[in-house]
């Protein structure tokens, strides 16, 4: 069985930083160093090479990391399988989910709540990063399961459809733009437009939609760039320019009239989100348990909203 020293080693090896490992584990950096030294004495090898402020794994460190990764996954499954043998709802386990901002803020919280009610002994962790960094965290075994926008060509992961999200153009109700019924795509070249930062899934979706209208981000001369969905939304609430935001993130503001949805012919942004697992972990029972509950939760709520709209 792995001990806490192996956990410390995993964090240092993952971040290649003693200070970041200390932050992740909420212990001091000297304590991190002590645990690594104890492991090095136990195995009678050096696990890290230190050159100035940089840290890298030795050949022996790379071997140990492979075994620690496998050991952590086995221990996670073992605890779940044993404690849930008689009653799945009292099973103990852990799930670290990595998602982009929109999913983290507006989709996952109610799912985590529903999951916790059914499986109260689980430790749930949500890691929020932009879309570019989520896959890296999954492949580095920092997270157990990911949710990303769209797919890429990686053969080391497997995708499973989750839900579709819409990105829409909006502005403040105080803006002159709110009085216009239609804004033509070419108008974007000559007006201030607020956008998400590079690496954001929302920006990628907007970029793709603009290309269909033979426009690029570079064509928008008055660009305001903000990092994070909430930062962009709060900016638009206080400003008068146009911005693109996920519908889920502005539903309340559209309903209470603070923001207005704009119509730009030719620009419709529908983006699919997928569960992503490492190849070989598709049978992970904890991941499958969460995927089933999350998918069922949103299928149920979509059905309810469709039923209301018909009456």
């Amino acid at each position: 069985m792995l001990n806490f020293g192996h956990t410390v080693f995993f964090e240092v090896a993952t971040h290649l930083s003693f200070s970041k490992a200390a932050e992740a584990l909420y212990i001091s950096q000297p304590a991190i160093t002590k645990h690594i030294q104890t492991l090095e004495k136990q195995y009678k090898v050096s696990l890290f090479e230190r050159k100035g402020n940089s840290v890298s794994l030795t050949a022996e460190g790379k071997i140990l990391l492979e075994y620690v990764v496998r050991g952590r996954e086995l221990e996670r499954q073992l605890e779940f399988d044993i404690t849930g043998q008689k009653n799945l709802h009292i099973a103990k386990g852990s799930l670290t989910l990595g998602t982009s901002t929109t999913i983290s803020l507006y989709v996952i919280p109610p799912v985590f709540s529903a999951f916790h009610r059914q499986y109260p002994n689980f430790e749930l962790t949500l890691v929020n990063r932009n879309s570019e960094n989520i896959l890296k965290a999954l492949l580095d075994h920092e997270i157990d399961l990911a949710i990303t926008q769209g797919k890429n060509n990686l053969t080391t992961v497997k995708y499973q459809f989750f839900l579709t999200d819409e990105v829409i153009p909006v502005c403040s109700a105080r803006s002159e733009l709110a009085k216009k019924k239609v804004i033509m795509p070419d108008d974007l070249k000559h007006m201030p437009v607020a956008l998400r930062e590079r690496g954001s899934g929302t920006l990628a979706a907007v970029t793709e939609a603009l290309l269909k209208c033979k426009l690029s981000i570079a064509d928008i001369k008055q660009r305001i760039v903000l990092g994070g969905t909430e930062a962009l939304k709060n900016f638009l609430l206080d400003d008068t320019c146009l911005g693109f935001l996920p519908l889920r993130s502005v539903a309340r503001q559209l309903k209470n009239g603070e923001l207005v949805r704009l119509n730009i012919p030719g620009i419709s942004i529908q983006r699919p989100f997928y569960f992503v697992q490492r190849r070989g972990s598709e049978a992970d029972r904890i991941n499958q348990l969460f995927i089933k509950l999350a998918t069922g939760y949103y299928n149920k709520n979509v059905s309810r909203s469709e039923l209301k709209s018909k009456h």
Side-chain angles (χ1 to χ4, degrees):
M1 288 297 198
L2 302 179
N3 57 37
F4 186 67
H6 292 106
T7 300
V8 170
F9 167 78
F10 174 80
E11 292 295 338
V12 177
T14 300
H15 297 290
L16 291 178
S17 167
F18 281 66
S19 59
K20 288 181 180 179
E23 290 175 11
L25 295 171
Y26 303 101
I27 61 177
S28 68
Q29 194 167 326
I32 294 286
T33 301
K34 186 175 180 181
H35 280 292
I36 296 300
Q37 288 173 343
T38 300
L39 275 181
E40 290 179 328
K41 288 178 183 177
Q42 177 184 339
Y43 294 118
K44 297 180 174 59
V45 296
S46 294
L47 299 172
F48 296 97
E49 290 181 0
R50 301 166 181 82
K51 294 180 180 178
N53 293 326
S54 66
V55 177
S56 61
L57 283 163
T58 63
E60 293 83 359
K62 291 177 182 178
I63 292 171
L64 180 59
L65 179 59
E66 289 180 14
Y67 278 93
V68 168
V69 165
R70 287 158 56 188
R72 284 163 59 90
E73 291 174 354
L74 285 171
E75 284 192 340
R76 175 172 170 266
Q77 291 296 325
L78 175 62
E79 180 182 46
F80 173 71
D81 286 342
I82 287 182
T83 58
Q85 183 67 30
K86 293 181 179 178
N87 183 351
L88 192 61
H89 296 288
I90 64 170
K92 293 181 179 179
S94 64
L95 175 72
T96 300
L97 175 70
T99 74
S100 58
T101 305
T102 299
I103 298 293
S104 291
L105 291 176
Y106 310 108
V107 174
I108 292 304
V111 175
F112 262 28
S113 178
F115 191 91
H116 183 257
R117 287 195 298 272
Q118 287 202 38
Y119 310 102
N121 295 321
F122 258 78
E123 179 183 328
L124 299 173
T125 304
L126 181 61
V127 175
N128 176 14
R129 298 179 187 172
N130 72 25
S131 301
E132 231 175 44
N133 293 317
I134 289 298
L135 278 178
K136 183 179 184 302
L138 182 70
L139 295 175
D140 287 345
H141 294 262
E142 291 181 54
I143 59 179
D144 304 309
L145 178 67
I147 300 175
T148 65
Q149 175 190 326
K151 300 179 180 181
N152 62 26
N153 297 322
L154 281 177
T155 58
T156 50
V157 297
K158 182 181 178 182
Y159 292 90
Q160 180 176 336
F161 177 76
F162 177 27
L163 52 76
T164 299
D165 184 48
E166 185 177 9
V167 177
I168 62 170
V170 295
C171 70
S172 166
R174 297 181 290 102
S175 172
E176 289 296 315
L177 296 173
K179 299 175 184 178
K180 296 188 176 184
K181 291 184 178 180
V182 177
I183 294 172
M184 300 309 295
D186 273 355
D187 293 340
L188 298 174
K189 297 178 181 179
H190 313 293
M191 65 172 63
V193 179
L195 298 165
R196 283 287 306 277
E197 80 286 1
R198 187 182 298 276
S200 154
T202 301
L203 180 64
V206 171
T207 301
E208 185 178 342
L210 290 176
L211 287 174
K212 292 177 181 178
C213 296
K214 297 182 180 179
L215 291 172
S216 73
I217 295 295
D219 292 325
I220 300 172
K221 304 304 179 186
Q222 300 181 56
R223 298 192 299 274
I224 302 99
V225 179
L226 291 99
T229 300
E230 285 297 300
L232 178 52
K233 180 170 71 176
N234 289 330
F235 173 80
L236 291 173
L237 286 167
D238 199 52
D239 199 81
T240 56
C241 73
L242 176 150
F244 292 90
L245 280 168
L247 176 58
R248 295 175 189 276
S249 71
V250 293
R252 183 178 299 174
Q253 288 74 26
L254 291 173
K255 186 176 181 180
N256 65 27
E258 291 180 280
L259 291 176
V260 174
R261 180 172 183 168
L262 301 172
N263 178 24
I264 307 178
I267 294 184
S268 175
I269 308 172
Q270 302 284 335
R271 53 179 187 168
F273 281 91
Y274 295 87
F275 292 107
V276 193
Q277 297 181 84
R278 292 181 294 271
R279 286 282 180 187
S281 69
E282 299 94 331
D284 185 307
R285 289 185 64 201
I286 297 174
N287 286 356
Q288 292 307 315
L289 197 67
F290 183 82
I291 289 171
K292 182 179 179 181
L293 184 143
T295 303
Y297 181 91
Y298 277 100
N299 282 343
K300 176 181 67 177
N301 281 280
V302 166
S303 298
R304 284 178 178 173
S305 63
E306 287 176 347
L307 186 62
K308 286 180 182 178
S309 66
K310 290 178 182 177
H311 293 280

